[in-house]
Amino acid sequence: MKSEVTKAQKKIKITGSEAVIHCLLAEGVKTVYGYPGGAIMPIYDELFKFQDKLHHVLTRHEQGAVHAAQGFARVSGKVGVAFATSGPGATNLVTGLADAQIDSNPVVCITGQVASHLLGSDAFQETDIVGISTPITKWNYQITDANEIPAILAKAFYIARTGRPGPVLIDITKDAQFQQFEFEYKKCTDIRSYKPVPDIDITKVEAAAQLINAAKKPMIVFGQGILLGNAEEELKTFIEKSGIPAAWTVLGLSALDSDHPLNVGMVGMHGNYAPNLLTNECDVLIALGMRFDDRVTGDLSRYAKQAKVIHFEIDPSEIDKNVKAAVPVLGNVKETLQQMMPLIEEKTYPEWFGEFKRLYDIEFEKVIQPELEPTKEGLTMAEVINQINKESNNEAIVVSDVGQHQMFTCRYAKFKNSKSNVTSGGLGTMGFALPASMGAAMGAPNRPVVAIAGDGGYQMTIQELGTIYQTQIPVKIVVLNNEFLGMVRQWQQLFFDKRYASTEMINPDFVKIAEGYHIPAKKVTKREELADAIHEMMTTEGAYFLEVVVEKEDNVFPMIPTGSSVSECRLS
Amino acid sequence: MEEKFYTITVYTENNVGLLNRVSGIFLKRHINIESMNASRSEIKGVHKYVILVKTTEDWVRKITGQLEKQIEVIKAFYHTDEEIIYQESALFKIKSDLLFDERQIQNIIKESNSQIVTVSRNFFVIAKTGRRHEIEELSNELEPYGIMQFVRSGRISVSKETMEISNILEKSQEIKTN
Ligand SMILES: Cc1ncc(C[n+]2csc(CCOP(=O)(O)OP(=O)(O)O)c2C)c(N)n1
Ligand SMILES: [Mg+2]
């Protein structure tokens, strides 16, 4: 493949900072989230000159910038970009980097650094961000010579988006930003020490098909790999042809229509009863682009021991990491599914599927119905989410924070379209939703975006209301206010004898705060007001804030307590 | 599962930050590095780490997978002691008078197959290459006479079987030129 070089960029002397902008433009970047400061000022100066080509969104905290870049990446599949200055600016990125690393989000962060002659001298605002971010980045690098900028940035984008995606941090010293050099940009297409996608072993694909065709009680669990590999169509075809019931992980949510007849719900700690219990009943477990996180498996020594596991995976280091695979199928799941499809026999499993139905009915009666049609006075989180489904026709992008409301969202939000569920899965980062929803709204400008946060997590990044106002980002913000750090309170209730240590929240007037940022706002406390309020929120142009006061001490069920087996999934 | 010594060989691009990344993988899993050696490899521009750990096969396999996942790691292998030829080196600094006053020392040096690297007015230096236990034996024998300084290198090793590293590089080279 010949690399593309636009004529205009060829062999002219420019500064390192200007080169950074050209590199981003060459990579198709249109929006950058960030926060300026001394060590990155030369780059911001270029942003000023290029503002018609490259839109910079000034967040209110660098953590907000990375989360926004993540939200953008999650809905668009493109690389999200964040800027920060050295020292405190760079360290404020850490949570977002860790979040992007564990959830495989393609993000490139560019940090300014003190001038190279000051490195290692404890200079003003010097931190070793490359050292700090090493365990939480897919790759990182410090540039001290402008000549390195084009090749390193090309590499950064290539690494961030290929294979199993992840965050890359590039630290650029201030002198390199000022330095003049001859700029030439070539896209990166190969790194000899990096193989993003392993070769497909066709014998494994065949072995998988054989196992699947011979199965009596097969079950699929799919994860984010389906979304990252754009394999939604292949997933659907596979499920429909094979007739196999399919469950999903939190990050796999929205890859398959919520109303698809073979969609049997969520696995894991607060997943659905049927797929959790039947994980320990199935004879073949087909894992598609998921990594057997401990929140999914519960006690590993009692997880799917009876089943032959087929693991479709892009990252070889995930094979046999937590669960031993009878047949590992390495490769991009889109391609491996395509190759397997002709080998799959058309089947249905009425009796086996009946088991899912039977257990669903139990869960419906004991948990779902009481949540959706409560007889108690207080509002439940589930009914709020259900109302959002109705109002948005299952077509919204839903960005959730972390806690009970997150689990209620994943359990009750319905999706027609893929890449519509954005949440912090692996890291469980409170404060994720509000900034991530900004990126999501900009990454999918024609779709409604609803951020759902708890009263706790919302206040961790509440300052991003400023960004939403300044940048006119049309996100709908819902705070499910239970006046508690609800998820922790639930654990205190169940496992610490109701000792509610520091989980009660005395909250501010959220409506006033939103209004202070010029965002229309409303508070709902009664069931009768809910439908109208959500209708008003979804039909008001631009950003909108809705506080819903919910039952204080509701719990999320089903639940697999830590250390328990998926078979021990509790309904109350 | 049984804990054993495993020798991990990591072929890498040369990058200042890589050592941090590599050692971080062991740190995260709480696996102690018994020894570590970094040098150039048989391939131009490719570096090689030889890392000795004591752990289970399950862990060493996972760690090797994690190592290989790092962008600048070209390939990582692990071997048991039976699968490799391995050595360590040690230097002993000893007072010069002993060489002349204690006849026994000369015998020890001869029998241990070690060499005298240098002799100066005040001290002389013995170098010994071999297995860990051979170096320990020599150290024990010299101990009573007084060792001024002692140092032992990390394990270095080559595998009995070929390590298919050149092939990988050639393949990626082909992709580039095609
Ligand atoms: C940054 C961060 N700190 C602490 C936690 C631990 N934690 C998990 S859920 C939770 C409570 C969240 O409370 P809230 O945002 O009100 O949501 P709720 O559970 O009430 O719906 C806490 C403190 C976390 N996940 N992230
Ligand atoms: Mg709360």
Side-chain angles (χ1 to χ4, degrees):
Chain A
M1 262 220 320
K2 283 270 166 333
S3 50
E4 300 161 38
V5 185
T6 56
K7 267 190 208 127
Q9 295 166 1
K10 214 172 171 181
K11 303 268 171 191
I12 19 160
K13 270 206 164 186
I14 59 172
T15 63
S17 315
E18 188 181 342
V20 169
I21 309 291
H22 283 299
C23 294
L24 296 184
L25 292 173
E27 290 291 338
V29 177
K30 297 202 167 59
T31 309
V32 175
Y33 304 88
Y35 212 97
I40 198 168
M41 281 185 66
I43 293 178
Y44 272 79
D45 193 40
E46 294 300 330
L47 275 175
F48 185 80
K49 296 177 200 158
F50 283 89
Q51 53 187 294
D52 55 329
K53 293 208 176 75
L54 192 57
H55 179 202
H56 179 269
V57 175
L58 175 65
T59 58
R60 293 300 181 267
H61 188 292
E62 290 84 354
Q63 182 184 353
V66 211
H67 289 335
Q70 291 179 268
F72 173 87
R74 291 272 285 266
V75 301
S76 70
K78 294 181 193 146
V79 178
V81 181
F83 283 178
T85 190
S86 67
T91 56
N92 275 349
L93 295 175
V94 166
T95 303
L97 287 170
D99 195 281
Q101 169 82 343
I102 202 159
D103 278 353
S104 308
N105 300 157
V107 166
V108 170
C109 289
I110 294 176
T111 48
Q113 181 58 280
V114 300
S116 56
H117 72 275
L118 292 171
L119 284 171
S121 73
D122 299 330
F124 178 66
Q125 294 194 328
E126 181 191 4
T127 57
D128 174 16
I129 194 59
V130 169
I132 290 169
S133 65
T134 293
I136 48 169
T137 48
K138 185 171 173 188
W139 188 62
N140 61 10
Y141 193 83
Q142 183 176 67
I143 294 176
T144 52
D145 176 350
N147 287 291
E148 289 188 308
I149 287 173
I152 292 297
L153 283 188
K155 222 172 138 177
F157 278 87
Y158 176 69
I159 290 169
R161 74 166 178 264
T162 52
R164 180 176 178 173
V168 172
L169 179 134
I170 305 298
D171 195 32
I172 309 177
T173 58
K174 201 169 178 182
D175 50 329
Q177 296 173 39
F178 279 126
Q179 187 189 340
Q180 299 259 345
F181 75 112
E182 272 181 12
F183 177 77
E184 191 182 351
Y185 195 71
K186 281 196 195 104
K187 273 208 166 188
C188 176
T189 54
D190 175 60
I191 298 170
R192 69 171 186 175
S193 59
Y194 169 55
K195 193 168 172 52
V197 186
D199 296 327
I200 297 174
D201 178 350
I202 190 70
T203 64
K204 292 286 194 284
V205 176
E206 288 162 0
Q210 249 175 25
L211 260 187
I212 292 168
N213 289 335
K216 300 265 176 317
K217 297 194 283 181
M219 171 174 158
I220 293 167
V221 178
F222 63 86
Q224 197 192 194
I226 299 292
L227 298 105
L228 293 171
N230 296 310
E232 293 90 348
E233 270 311 306
E234 285 75 8
L235 171 74
K236 186 160 174 273
T237 316
F238 171 51
I239 290 171
E240 288 172 357
K241 186 170 183 193
S242 68
I244 302 174
W248 34 271
T249 67
V250 164
L251 292 191
L253 175 53
S254 83
L256 179 69
D257 193 324
S258 304
D259 290 331
H260 192 285
L262 285 167
N263 187 333
V264 292
M266 176 162 81
V267 290
M269 184 172 270
H270 294 290
N272 291 104
Y273 197 47
N276 273 330
L277 253 50
L278 296 178
T279 298
N280 277 0
E281 300 279 323
C282 66
D283 59 350
V284 175
L285 181 67
I286 306 146
L288 301 175
M290 55 83 84
R291 61 185 178 87
F292 297 105
D293 179 83
D294 56 275
R295 281 291 191 268
V296 162
T297 64
D299 180 8
L300 261 184
S301 67
R302 290 180 288 159
Y303 179 81
K305 287 296 173 196
Q306 80 296 338
K308 292 203 173 73
V309 175
I310 305 173
H311 195 175
F312 286 74
E313 177 55 58
I314 199 166
D315 177 355
S317 74
E318 288 295 344
I319 300 292
D320 295 345
K321 187 180 90 176
N322 296 334
V323 170
K324 184 113 189 73
V327 181
V329 186
L330 282 171
N332 183 327
V333 68
K334 188 181 181 79
E335 285 170 46
T336 47
L337 279 180
Q338 275 172 357
Q339 294 198 1
M340 188 173 70
M341 216 73 79
L343 310 176
I344 295 295
E345 291 166 11
E346 267 183 61
K347 271 197 183 174
T348 54
Y349 299 86
E351 223 170 286
W352 170 233
F353 190 74
E355 276 298 289
F356 284 88
K357 182 79 184 76
R358 187 179 66 81
L359 293 169
Y360 175 79
D361 290 343
I362 297 174
E363 183 182 344
F364 186 81
E365 189 201 331
K366 294 243 162 77
V367 180
I368 300 173
Q369 188 161 31
E371 289 292 353
L372 290 179
E373 293 157 24
T375 47
K376 55 192 170 192
E377 202 188 315
L379 281 158
T380 67
M381 294 188 175
E383 62 184 317
V384 180
I385 289 149
N386 200 35
Q387 195 57 42
I388 295 171
N389 291 338
K390 283 187 199 157
E391 190 62 44
S392 67
N393 201 16
N394 300 353
E395 282 173 7
I397 288 174
V398 179
V399 187
S400 52
D401 211 75
V402 172
Q404 291 185 313
H405 64 281
Q406 174 190 36
M407 290 299 111
F408 277 112
T409 302
C410 293
R411 288 178 51 76
Y412 294 95
K414 290 192 164 194
F415 297 97
K416 256 189 208 151
N417 306 302
S418 184
K419 299 185 180 65
S420 298
N421 170 56
V422 181
T423 196
S424 166
L427 203 67
T429 304
M430 283 172 71
F432 175 82
L434 191 61
S437 73
M438 308 186 308
M442 300 180 77
N446 299 318
R447 298 189 52 199
V449 174
V450 184
I452 299 180
D455 47 318
Y458 179 56
Q459 294 182 75
M460 282 203 174
T461 49
I462 193 168
Q463 69 280 4
E464 298 305 336
L465 290 174
T467 313
I468 290 167
Y469 172 57
Q470 179 170 354
T471 313
Q472 299 287 303
I473 305 171
V475 288
K476 315 299 178 190
I477 306 152
V478 179
V479 166
L480 297 177
N481 185 2
N482 53 10
E483 290 172 357
F484 266 111
L485 298 173
M487 186 57 97
V488 179
R489 189 211 51 76
Q490 173 170 348
W491 285 48
Q492 288 170 332
Q493 180 186 342
L494 299 176
F495 312 119
F496 293 87
D497 274 337
K498 282 201 167 189
R499 290 186 295 276
Y500 293 168
S502 295
T503 43
E504 198 168 358
M505 302 276 282
I506 305 213
N507 286 317
D509 184 335
F510 287 121
V511 168
K512 269 199 185 140
I513 290 178
E515 284 170 351
Y517 283 100
H518 311 286
I519 294 169
K522 191 166 218 158
K523 176 174 176 173
V524 163
T525 54
K526 295 196 188 76
R527 186 159 292 119
E528 309 84 80
E529 308 163 339
L530 182 66
D532 284 348
I534 288 177
H535 179 75
E536 181 179 326
M537 170 177 85
M538 296 305 285
T539 49
T540 301
E541 210 165 312
Y544 191 96
F545 174 83
L546 180 67
E547 174 187 357
V548 183
V549 177
V550 294
E551 192 71 30
K552 280 178 87 153
E553 298 191 27
D554 256 358
N555 289 332
V556 198
F557 283 108
M559 176 176 196
I560 303 166
T562 321
S564 299
S565 149
V566 285
S567 309
E568 294 160 346
C569 187
R570 291 171 50 172
L571 288 172
S572 61
Chain B
M1 237 192 291
E2 184 201 359
E3 287 207 346
K4 261 208 237 182
F5 281 109
Y6 288 95
T7 303
I8 303 174
T9 307
V10 194
Y11 286 87
T12 73
E13 304 289 2
N14 184 22
N15 170 308
V16 273
L18 193 59
L19 183 58
N20 195 359
R21 229 169 234 288
V22 165
S23 60
I25 288 165
F26 293 86
L27 182 74
K28 220 165 118 177
R29 305 272 189 170
H30 278 265
I31 289 176
N32 214 27
I33 294 177
E34 301 276 333
S35 81
M36 178 154 175
N37 188 87
S39 71
R40 69 170 184 86
S41 73
E42 62 277 16
I43 303 155
K44 212 175 163 199
V46 174
H47 283 242
K48 187 184 225 173
Y49 293 96
V50 177
I51 302 164
L52 179 65
V53 291
K54 193 176 184 192
T55 184
T56 61
E57 166 136 36
D58 189 41
W59 277 115
V60 76
R61 190 178 45 72
K62 284 177 186 167
I63 282 194
T64 308
Q66 290 296 325
L67 286 166
E68 227 167 69
K69 193 166 143 174
Q70 306 310 312
I71 304 295
E72 276 128 345
V73 169
I74 299 165
K75 189 87 187 140
F77 303 88
Y78 68 88
H79 294 101
T80 61
D81 288 357
E82 294 74 45
E83 295 166 326
I84 53 170
I85 311 297
Y86 62 95
Q87 300 266 277
E88 291 173 356
S89 289
L91 297 176
F92 300 81
K93 179 176 163 184
I94 299 183
K95 270 210 180 86
S96 285
D97 342 348
L98 294 174
L99 192 56
F100 309 106
D101 300 349
E102 300 278 352
R103 291 189 54 97
Q104 190 50 26
I105 286 219
Q106 298 194 18
N107 289 338
I108 294 173
I109 295 170
K110 224 180 276 159
E111 276 159 31
S112 67
N113 264 329
S114 52
Q115 299 100 41
I116 297 180
V117 190
T118 186
V119 182
S120 73
R121 182 187 296 270
N122 296 323
F123 64 87
F124 68 104
V125 174
I126 305 171
K128 164 75 189 157
T129 298
R131 296 283 174 91
R132 168 85 55 103
H133 68 92
E134 295 171 320
I135 291 170
E136 287 307 314
E137 263 165 41
L138 177 59
S139 173
N140 289 340
E141 286 181 66
L142 292 171
E143 190 85 63
Y145 303 99
I147 300 169
M148 294 165 74
Q149 280 183 35
F150 168 78
V151 65
R152 188 181 61 221
S153 74
R155 171 183 284 196
I156 53 171
S157 69
V158 291
S159 63
K160 293 178 185 169
E161 299 275 303
T162 51
M163 291 201 226
E164 283 174 15
I165 171 78
S166 312
N167 298 359
I168 295 169
L169 291 179
E170 269 163 33
K171 246 199 221 154
S172 85
Q173 225 45 47
E174 273 167 36
I175 298 170
K176 257 192 201 153
T177 45
N178 275 350

